[in-house]
């Protein structure tokens, strides 16, 4: 009661999942950042690592950068380096949470000077975008407060709107401002963009080229994320995904690791709403931290998880599903969906990869490649990249 | 570091909290509804009981009705009965969750005939509003699904939009459509209006007289409700409150019972955003179930809780607060807020009541009034009102 | 990297999942109970329906009863009826939540007379057990409070301990007292047995034949349930499971419907800890409500879900897993587990069923059997069974 | 309907709240640690700062140390320094989460060598205790896993039990092993001591001098913490509190800041169960992070919050409460509790302080003392203390 794999094979070729440069550097919790052998020491090495993932999977043609972590003297050099390695530079992410001035906020800060500094940082990001040819400026804000009364919620929201308008005015006609929301952390009492409703209201006030980024780890416990996917697609405002998974808070685990069925439901709704493939503007990215597992295999595992679930989502027999729904057949309709979820797509995907010149088992191919041993041996000097590097 | 009570005394007189007729009938959980002696047997007796709350507190001049629970032959008779008892009829609440046809939905149902039935029910509610002179048609929907795949999330959202448009087209120029949202229950996989963002998007598509109802028990664990209050006031779409409190799910406990500090923060944000008092259109209602405690004292306790917290919210020294916020004084700003919260407003409120011809202690006055004994003795025949009655 | 299905085929034959008689009657939420055609009108018809599930799946040889819902004049008659239908009577569940006297509690109530009434009810249940030959007396308590201060938490816990001791003293040498815990509902501020720790402490004080029941829907959001399974097995106190699933609260949905991966992890830990199969005393039961889906297919779907996940759990290559764990290979160890989870066991299980004289597709066999049409046609008079019937 | 303040004045003098040395150093989130002027550069300066809190409040006579953060050459020197400043050294906290060897665990690690290293660290902590005369060895473990299958839950639990037994065997007759539990973080899939039940089971297996530490921020959303307080006191296993508050996860905010009513309920249950005052062994500690607010005022605010809530808890008219509970008067019993909660104890506490030679307003006294300016001016060289320092 699912479609044949052959029916969906071509659609799978439309998939592209952007990798975050920071996933290749060290990361951790507030308690400890564990270093790993072979971690990149500069943006060039990050791009080199990201390219390995694409080389073995064919799924990740672009790399997202984080400014200032990925500042380099010449973005044409970095872009050329990427191209040499078979990938391209993608989304530019701003960072207004690691400067002392941003202790009490950035774009929503009470002090106009701090706000301007944060706006200027985004202007600089747009400059980078213009050099790299990036389409998207992604803004995640750590802005918020820890204690009730600490600041004026309404005033902050209004100031945020003003700051975003200033940034939006600067982006080009073919560029987008993508505003991420997050339930909590690092602020604990409130965050200034805590939910999709706020992000939606803010970007709607900006204009057509402002859209929402949905990070799958940024919701309250129990939130039906696929509903939000549906709603944002319906409203024409779903800009991009930050994929990861979580058991509790914003754990930033490998996408699909904590609740594979949720990932399936999300991807089914993406396909349902026209958010997948060549005709869609929705960008797929990973945003994860490999705190204890190896970075490159962690990224390979992640894009494969998305691919496998996309295949399951595409396999759903939508005609049978619609018929059962129309008939009010609760168990039958659910059964059509579950049938696709429980289908083991891995053998067919292995063949699919081989037919496209990719290794059947990218993780095994990586292990056999010697790349990990090579970088562990070579990258011994310098400063390892990390969240703060 | 708080204002003087005398400064806020007049503002307290602007307070009005609508009582739900159903709070006076029996209610319970899915496990058991416990009956209580003296419970009303018809809408007239419900109004009589509600009037006791207003007589003793001066806080609840109107009573909300639920259709069809509160269907009567003549609303002019019911309105006259209310007026005789010193109150008026208020918001009309529709009910599309207790008819067998609504098992799989009402306004979002896949079958056009069921949707039309639900729309027609709302037309009937509007007829009642025209008879009672009610301003608000409040719509809470039980629509949703229990299992992934059971129905098409997007199709339901589109059908809901159509149904709401049909209803909105029927309300009068001085009437409002108020759309409530709810995280979950009675549907368990998804609800069709699960969050403020969805309610906001839906009512925005309808027009100016469509607004959002915020029920304080209808959010995910950890949600910052006062932020939503702020945002909806900022967007001009906060229509009304359903007050209650909860520890876990939609417990419908006495407002302020579970987290008094949260109620304070909510009311502070209401005042901050212009949602309180004579100049505001925001309606305050209770939506509670007194499953094990006595109904009338439960309602008295509830409106007093709202009043006491409103007083504390009004007492905040907003100049001192703004100064501390501007200075980035985290502890100081929080301290100004907490100072008002920890102020014991009860003695001043007792005096305030007496100065207005109300009993200093409404609960004691109720206990001394003999009303409870009277209804327990008199209301022995007939069928007690309840959620289904 | 999973075991061969042939290696686990025999172990699957050890599986038995008890069905709850109440799953065949009507159930609902506090908002509405929707009736269904063909629903049983007495315990005999419930047993007949339960027997269909076993006939088609071979998985559910026993039926749990709920007292007083399933009170009959002669349990030997009911047992004979069950035997004729190929099943047997199982666990006896007490009920101290639907009598007016239990409004403020039962075994923990402040009034000794109410406590004694509740104890006596359990004595009656033990009498039934002696007639039916049941091993387990399962106690789930609705005891708790709605408001802080309503009662003395400590006093209630001590009274509960006394009441349980009185009941424990009455059970036979081959019988067990099984104490269920529940996070919340129907009480909202506190429940007297809210977590496994409390149940464990209470049953440990009773003796060896007192054990814990783990209902998969009775935990706080985010709780790692398989950890509790591991711990209770380690402590020798895991008595039984109530299987169901939930997105939010105690939704009582079909087991495996909300989070299949969680069910897999639970069953893996059951197998790991010796809780599965012939050598184990752990009882597997369903405790679900089919509010909107058909009852008998709902139960068939449920036992199949447990069976399929058990198969996946048994397929885990535990040697490879242990090796990866010893090597500190985070991704590798996770990969071994996921490999089993993503294996599609359905074709092999269909064959397995046929080899044992069962229908390959029990749901299709049920649909083709005409049984549903038969009961819908025949069971038209009388009172449908429900939670209160 | 509350007691007179005079009745409780003497009991308030029994209060002692230990301060954590690390609260005076820099702390932050995984995103950023913001440095503050005047932060201590060594354990001596931390003790000096802690002593300011005690000098102004009379509430915090001891300081908890964290090993290895607070390693010094001579603990007799540090103790003498403390004594000179009017305080003493208290609980010793171990740390097995910041060494690279502990990436996959410490006391529960799969490798015996790593476990022994972690055990040896605790032996060293016991050596320090013997020098400082500390009673309590507090163990909070970061042990856990991030991915299902990463390690064997049961094996880890058994290894943990062995490791704890080795440590317990080393503590002296007048010393205690205090085992903390935590729901999640820094591990995301499971933690090895996630709940009070696990901590209780582990310490019960050790012996009488092993007890549980309850950190108020280490529970699932919605958990009734005062119930756990009651249960652990009832079982004789409540060893100590780590006080803080949280809106979402383990936010480590100022105790009482997020939910003052919860703190009140906890302290009421502490008093109810004999956990307060001279006759009790329960230790009260803070465990907080002042990420954005000033450290010393943050600690002063914290101990004052605990004191104010303790006063309210002591004010409850327990006779009236018990009478209302016995009468089944739900609203009345709740009312007795709330009456104490809403009492403004601040004026009486200010007098109480003055009568004991303490400043009426410790925060104002601190601000006026010039101490903050002094340390900000003097502590300009060296390395600021922080979580990792």
């Amino acid at each position: 009661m699912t479609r044949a794999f052959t029916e969906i094979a071509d659609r799978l070729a439309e998939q592209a999942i952007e990798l975050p440069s920071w996933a290749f550097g060290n990361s951790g919790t507030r308690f400890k950042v564990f270093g790993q052998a072979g971690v990149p020491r500069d943006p060039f090495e990050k791009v080199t690592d990201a390219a390995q993932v694409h080389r073995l999977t064919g799924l990740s043609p672009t790399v997202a950068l984080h400014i200032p972590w990925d500042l380099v003297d010449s973005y044409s050099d970095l872009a050329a380096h990427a191209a040499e390695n078979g990938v391209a530079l993608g989304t530019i992410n701003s960072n207004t949470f690691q400067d002392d001035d941003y202790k009490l906020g950035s774009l929503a800060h009470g002090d106009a000077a701090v706000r301007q500094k944060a706006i200027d940082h985004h202007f600089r990001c747009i400059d980078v975008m213009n050099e790299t040819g990036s389409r998207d400026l992604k803004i995640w804000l750590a802005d918020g407060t820890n204690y009730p009364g600490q600041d004026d919620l309404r005033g902050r929201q209004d100031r945020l709107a003003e700051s975003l308008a200033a940034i939006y005015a600067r982006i080009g006609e073919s560029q987008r401002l993508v505003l991420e929301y997050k339930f909590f952390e690092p602020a604990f009492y409130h965050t200034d963009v805590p939910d999709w409703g706020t992000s939606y209201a803010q970007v709607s006030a900006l204009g057509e080229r402002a859209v929402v980024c949905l990070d799958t780890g940024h919701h309250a416990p129990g939130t039906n994320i696929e509903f939000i996917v549906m709603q944002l697609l319906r409203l024409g405002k779903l800009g991009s995904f930050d994929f990861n998974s979580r058991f509790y808070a914003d754990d930033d685990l490998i996408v699909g690791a904590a609740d594979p069925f949720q990932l399936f439901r999300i991807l089914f709704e993406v396909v349902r709403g026209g958010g997948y493939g060549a005709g869609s503007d929705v960008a797929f990215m990973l945003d994860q931290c490999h705190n204890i597992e190896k970075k490159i295999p962690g990224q390979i595992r992640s894009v494969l998880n998305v691919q496998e679930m996309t295949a399951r989502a595409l396999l759903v027999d939508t005609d049978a599903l619609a018929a059962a729904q129309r008939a009010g057949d609760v168990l039958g309709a659910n059964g059509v969906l579950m049938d696709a979820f429980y289908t083991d797509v891995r053998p067919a995907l292995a063949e699919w990869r081989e037919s496209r010149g990719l290794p059947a088992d990218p993780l095994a191919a990586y292990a056999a490649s010697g790349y990990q041993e090579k970088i562990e041996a070579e990258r011994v000097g310098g400063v390892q990249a990390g969240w703060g590097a």
Side-chain angles (χ1 to χ4, degrees), chain A:
Chain A
M1 203 158 54
T2 61
R3 300 186 184 191
F5 191 86
T6 50
E7 283 185 59
I8 69 164
D10 287 346
R11 298 219 61 194
L12 287 171
E14 299 175 37
Q15 189 149 48
I17 306 157
E18 191 159 296
L19 304 186
S21 69
W22 54 97
F24 299 94
N26 290 321
S27 60
T29 67
R30 61 176 172 140
F31 295 98
K32 170 74 174 170
V33 174
F34 293 102
Q36 288 191 16
V39 155
R41 295 157 301 179
D42 60 39
F44 288 83
E45 290 183 351
K46 292 183 200 173
V47 168
T48 313
D49 287 1
Q52 297 304 311
V53 179
H54 185 54
R55 192 176 63 78
L56 295 167
T57 65
L59 290 169
S60 53
T62 56
V63 187
L65 303 181
H66 216 288
I67 308 298
W69 298 343
D70 294 323
L71 279 180
V72 293
D73 291 335
S74 160
Y75 283 96
S76 58
D77 284 2
L78 188 62
H81 175 74
E84 282 164 28
N85 283 272
V87 294
L89 305 179
T91 297
I92 300 301
N93 295 264
S94 64
N95 177 325
T96 57
F97 52 89
Q98 294 194 316
D99 185 296
D100 283 340
D101 282 345
Y102 299 139
K103 186 161 113 172
L104 302 179
S106 62
L107 295 180
H109 197 288
D111 183 335
V114 176
R115 290 202 301 282
Q116 190 58 49
K117 174 175 173 169
I119 292 168
D120 288 342
H121 167 72
H122 286 87
F123 288 167
R124 186 177 188 187
C125 289
I126 296 170
D127 292 343
V128 172
M129 291 169 71
N130 293 335
E131 289 187 62
T132 56
S134 301
R135 181 186 62 173
D136 289 350
L137 172 63
K138 182 143 64 76
I139 305 179
W140 169 68
L141 295 170
D143 286 53
T145 60
N146 277 3
Y147 293 99
Q150 177 187 327
D151 203 356
D152 177 29
L153 300 184
R154 170 66 175 273
R156 292 179 73 92
Q157 197 69 203
D158 291 338
R159 296 192 295 262
L160 172 62
E162 279 180 28
S163 299
L164 289 173
I167 297 165
Y168 186 72
R170 182 74 74 104
I171 64 169
E173 281 306 309
S174 58
Q175 293 175 337
R176 307 190 307 177
L177 183 161
V178 189
L179 182 62
E180 195 165 338
Y181 59 92
K182 186 173 182 183
F183 187 50
F184 85 102
E185 196 212 21
F188 295 127
Y189 165 59
H190 103 280
T191 55
D192 288 301
V193 190
D195 50 27
W196 77 264
T198 295
S199 185
Y200 170 68
Q202 286 280 2
V203 300
S204 295
L206 293 177
E208 283 198 1
R209 286 167 293 121
V211 286
V212 176
C213 173
L214 187 159
D215 182 303
T216 51
H218 290 189
H219 304 85
T223 300
N224 186 322
I225 297 175
E226 58 269 29
F227 181 92
I228 299 175
V229 171
M230 174 281 289
Q231 189 68 278
L232 285 172
L233 281 169
R234 178 179 175 267
L235 297 168
K237 282 296 187 188
L238 182 60
S240 65
F241 278 100
D242 270 8
F243 278 125
N244 51 54
S245 76
R246 49 80 67 115
F247 287 97
Y248 304 96
D250 184 35
D251 306 345
D252 280 335
L253 300 174
I254 288 173
V255 56
D259 187 348
F261 184 44
Q262 183 187 59
L263 178 59
F264 169 74
R265 301 192 311 262
I266 288 171
L267 287 166
F268 175 73
E269 212 56 51
V270 167
V271 173
R272 162 66 180 91
Y276 177 79
S280 166
D281 282 337
V282 178
F284 293 78
M285 273 175 276
L286 302 183
D287 183 14
Q288 301 178 168
C289 296
H290 302 295
N291 294 348
I292 57 170
E293 66 273 24
K294 287 211 164 67
K295 317 290 183 187
I296 297 172
Q299 291 284 288
I300 294 173
R301 178 72 275 160
S302 302
V303 295
L304 294 179
N305 281 357
V306 176
Q307 182 183 44
E308 292 175 13
M309 278 303 168
T310 303
R312 292 184 182 94
L314 290 168
L315 283 178
V316 173
D317 183 339
T318 48
D319 292 338
L321 182 65
Q325 289 172 345
R326 271 193 307 272
D329 180 0
V330 174
L331 288 169
N334 175 248
V336 173
L337 200 75
M338 299 313 293
D339 196 24
F341 176 67
Y342 284 129
T343 300
D344 191 348
V345 296
R346 295 174 302 169
L349 277 170
E351 285 182 35
W352 181 92
R353 277 184 209 106
E354 289 193 313
S355 76
R356 277 156 178 80
L358 294 163
D361 182 341
L363 278 167
Y366 179 73
S369 72
Y371 187 84
Q372 186 72 32
E373 293 76 6
K374 182 167 168 287
I375 58 175
E376 293 188 9
E378 290 178 1
R379 296 177 183 169
V380 286
V383 178
Q384 287 197 317
W387 271 36

